[in-house]
Amino acid sequence: MVKDDNLDVIIIGSGIGGLSCGALLAQYGLKVLVCESHTLPGGAAHGFQRQGYTFDSGPSLFSGLSYSPSANPLRQVLDAIGEDLEWATYDTWGCCLPEGNFFTSVGADQFCEVVQELRGESAVAEWRTLQQRMEPLKGAAIALPAAAVRFDLGVLQTVGRFIPKLLKQFPRLAQLTGPFNQVIQGQVTDEFLLNWLDLMCFLLAGLPADGIIAAEMAFMFGEWYRPDVVLDYPIGGSGAIAEALLRGLTKQDGQIRFSAHVEEILIENNRAVGVRLRTGEELRCRQAVISNASFWDTAALLPASHSRYRQKQTLPDCPSFMHLHLGIDGQNLPTDLACHYIVVNDWQQRVIAPQNVVLVSIPSLLDPSLAPENKQVIHVYTPGNEPYDLWQGLDRKSSDYAQLKQQRSEVMWQALERIIPDIRARCEVSLVGTPLTHERFLRRHRGTYGPGIRAGTGLFPGPKTKIPGLLCCGDSTFPGIGMPAVAASGFLAAHTLVPAHQQLELLQRIGCGA
């Protein structure tokens, strides 16, 4: 057990970015303490239990995690810390779109069958052409693993071995940093395909095709449209991923303290030296404080003397979520249920419109241990499209709040009724989460999904800040929103603190050589 007065690094928050960073630093031999204000690890990806049901609080769609080596940075973190978990694999999910209901699969061919039936041969030809166009971009997007990047001169050593591969991809690098709609402009004209690509972009980053950088979509094409591809689900739910990262932290003598809410980042001689908890306890460290809190929440932790660094308006934020967590009677359900569904109500409103897109996850179809016998667990959510302003200032104990919860959750019930018509009669456990839930339990500024930085209008900041000794990781830093991205941010923050030769050894060990 590391004493609090013998710490190298204090990490604020145990989201996937913070846990990835902490586990890596502990693997490198640093003395790490993670301060988590919640009672559970995982941040927006934690799991929780109610009445025998295990629920995912956040994402439930994963890929590139059940095999190794993988281009997924989260898989690379798990490899680096010597941890894994059991994975269920599948390849099909359901779609309830204005065009109708259908099942589709990852892989290059089955979606073409769907497109053929819905839109005809010309649309299939456009999709095939797009796949060919994305092929070289896929290679460019994964040419340099996040595990090799660092923000000092040591990058010449860690990235050097990848230079030949990068030079081959150089003509495509500019495309990768631009908006994805520039890649498809003139190549895709079919209305359904344009809507579908907008939807995929939105689900990845909370932005449509004219806002997401092409690199994210290139990575997705590389993951979802390759031969023999499968999607993954962690046995035990998304919380099992957080637990695996936590094992990686603690087995190397790293620590986590729950119910340890950081009230302020301590700054002395213009350097971050520790944190003050809500209890008044002060914890100090030798090398760095690393914040896994959002950009806005990190800024709020700085003392008044450093208010010039707060600059809360310099990053735009994505809207929040509505969640519906259900435990249901699972007997005599439709026999063709998929574990995931995407529901779009109206393409004319675009995917970013409030309550227009609803996601449904029934993970107990993949992992029956998540629910009691003959029961199922369901998570329905509106992903990054719920306005915070509707909720701002409401008392969570008031009748107005209860009425708004009922009103704003109705779209999720209706989406679920398209899949399980008698769902309301089956319900045994029902929990509704709102932007205020996000704000309170996840310590998220305005309950936000994260920064909504549109391609071409700005860049996500790196791990370093203007305050020496203060670093950041998570969805407010490069490369942005999503599980692979925040795991990559953990790599970047960790490698700011360790020598390049140790990073090179890690790259070799996890199979990330050029």
Side-chain angles (χ1 to χ4, degrees):
M1 179 70 71
V2 180
K3 294 182 179 180
D4 289 346
D5 61 357
N6 191 34
L7 295 170
D8 293 312
V9 175
I10 294 173
I11 296 176
I12 304 170
S14 69
I16 298 302
L19 286 176
S20 295
C21 182
L24 288 165
L25 288 172
Q27 183 73 28
Y28 280 122
L30 278 71
K31 307 303 181 184
V32 180
L33 171 66
V34 178
C35 293
E36 170 55 53
S37 64
H38 204 336
T39 57
L40 296 167
H46 75 273
F48 65 96
Q49 295 184 340
R50 293 289 188 278
Q51 300 181 36
Y53 294 92
T54 299
F55 295 101
D56 291 335
S57 67
S60 52
L61 190 63
F62 307 94
S63 64
L65 293 173
S66 60
Y67 64 92
S68 189
S70 167
N72 188 321
L74 180 54
R75 176 70 260 176
Q76 293 170 10
V77 171
L78 292 170
D79 290 343
I81 64 175
E83 289 294 333
D84 202 356
L85 54 158
E86 187 179 354
W87 301 94
T89 59
Y90 64 101
D91 64 2
T92 300
W93 72 93
C95 295
C96 301
L97 307 182
E99 290 83 358
N101 300 345
F102 58 86
F103 293 101
T104 189
S105 302
V106 288
D109 297 322
Q110 193 274 345
F111 184 63
C112 286
E113 297 174 11
V114 172
V115 175
Q116 174 73 48
E117 184 173 341
L118 292 177
R119 305 296 291 181
E121 192 60 40
S122 62
V124 173
E126 286 192 356
W127 185 256
R128 291 293 193 192
T129 300
L130 176 62
Q131 287 181 310
Q132 294 171 5
R133 184 175 177 82
M134 294 301 294
E135 194 65 34
L137 290 179
K138 290 187 294 184
I142 63 173
L144 180 64
V149 179
R150 55 188 296 122
F151 285 79
D152 59 22
L153 290 178
V155 72
L156 298 177
Q157 297 179 57
T158 59
V159 173
R161 63 182 59 196
F162 298 94
I163 288 177
K165 186 184 293 186
L166 291 171
L167 288 175
K168 290 181 182 178
Q169 303 294 348
F170 185 77
R172 303 179 185 95
L173 296 182
Q175 270 189 300
L176 288 177
T177 59
F180 178 64
N181 71 323
Q182 291 184 0
V183 175
I184 62 177
Q185 195 168 25
Q187 303 291 320
V188 178
T189 60
D190 181 82
E191 185 176 4
F192 170 75
L193 292 181
L194 289 172
N195 287 329
W196 178 262
L197 290 168
D198 246 2
L199 176 63
M200 294 297 103
C201 293
F202 178 65
L203 297 179
L204 275 176
L207 294 166
D210 59 0
I212 191 174
I213 62 169
E216 290 198 60
M217 283 298 283
F219 183 86
M220 188 276 287
F221 264 79
E223 279 290 309
W224 285 23
Y225 299 112
R226 56 182 175 80
D228 303 317
V229 63
V230 292
L231 297 173
D232 308 315
Y233 185 79
I235 298 299
S238 63
I241 298 176
E243 292 292 343
L245 294 171
L246 187 55
R247 289 195 302 270
L249 170 74
T250 56
K251 74 180 180 182
Q252 298 294 338
D253 294 328
Q255 297 179 74
I256 187 167
R257 289 179 60 175
F258 293 108
S259 301
H261 181 74
V262 173
E263 193 78 24
E264 184 177 19
I265 297 170
L266 300 176
I267 309 289
E268 294 179 0
N269 298 320
N270 200 40
R271 180 179 180 84
V273 297
V275 299
R276 178 181 295 111
L277 303 183
R278 178 171 288 171
T279 60
E281 182 182 4
E282 292 189 358
L283 305 172
R284 293 173 180 267
C285 55
R286 291 185 288 257
Q287 290 200 33
V289 175
I290 302 176
S291 178
N292 186 208
S294 76
F295 170 83
W296 306 274
D297 297 298
T298 299
L301 296 177
L302 295 173
S305 60
H306 285 67
S307 60
R308 66 186 183 278
Y309 293 121
R310 294 194 177 188
Q311 301 174 344
K312 289 189 179 182
Q313 304 306 316
T314 59
L315 288 182
D317 58 340
C318 285
S320 189
F321 283 67
M322 288 292 297
H323 294 271
L324 182 61
H325 295 287
L326 302 178
I328 69 164
D329 177 3
Q331 298 189 73
N332 301 315
L333 285 168
T335 57
D336 62 346
L337 276 184
C339 56
H340 297 295
Y341 290 84
I342 301 172
V343 179
V344 178
N345 293 316
D346 183 1
W347 289 127
Q348 295 301 315
Q349 294 187 52
R350 296 200 71 186
V351 293
I352 58 176
Q355 302 206 319
N356 192 30
V357 175
V358 181
L359 299 187
V360 176
S361 175
I362 317 174
S364 48
L365 293 173
L366 297 170
D367 179 7
S369 71
L370 300 177
E373 188 175 0
N374 295 321
K375 311 293 183 182
Q376 298 290 347
V377 62
I378 300 180
H379 179 201
V380 191
Y381 55 105
T382 57
N385 59 17
E386 179 66 11
Y388 178 81
D389 292 344
L390 294 175
W391 303 86
Q392 189 169 12
L394 284 179
D395 181 349
R396 293 182 299 102
K397 298 179 180 180
S398 69
S399 59
D400 288 343
Y401 180 64
Q403 290 172 10
L404 190 59
K405 281 176 69 173
Q406 182 177 359
Q407 174 192 333
R408 300 297 289 181
S409 63
E410 182 62 23
V411 69
M412 297 185 288
W413 285 106
Q414 292 173 1
L416 194 48
E417 284 174 326
R418 296 175 66 173
I419 302 160
I420 306 174
D422 62 346
I423 184 62
R424 299 188 200 233
R426 291 176 174 272
C427 186
E428 297 177 355
V429 176
S430 175
L431 304 169
V432 178
T434 73
L436 298 188
T437 311
H438 263 241
E439 184 177 48
R440 180 186 180 211
F441 287 100
L442 302 182
R443 310 296 183 189
R444 300 288 294 185
H445 165 76
R446 293 173 59 87
T448 181
Y449 184 29
I453 302 175
R454 299 179 67 86
T457 65
L459 297 173
F460 280 92
K464 292 185 176 181
T465 71
K466 296 178 180 179
I467 300 175
L470 177 60
L471 305 176
C472 292
C473 64
D475 60 17
S476 289
T477 64
F478 179 83
I481 290 173
M483 293 277 269
V486 296
S489 79
F491 267 125
L492 299 180
H495 288 151
T496 302
L497 298 177
V498 300
H501 71 86
Q502 287 186 284
Q503 186 177 352
L504 285 169
E505 292 170 5
L506 178 141
L507 288 171
Q508 198 67 35
R509 191 170 74 250
I510 66 175
C512 278

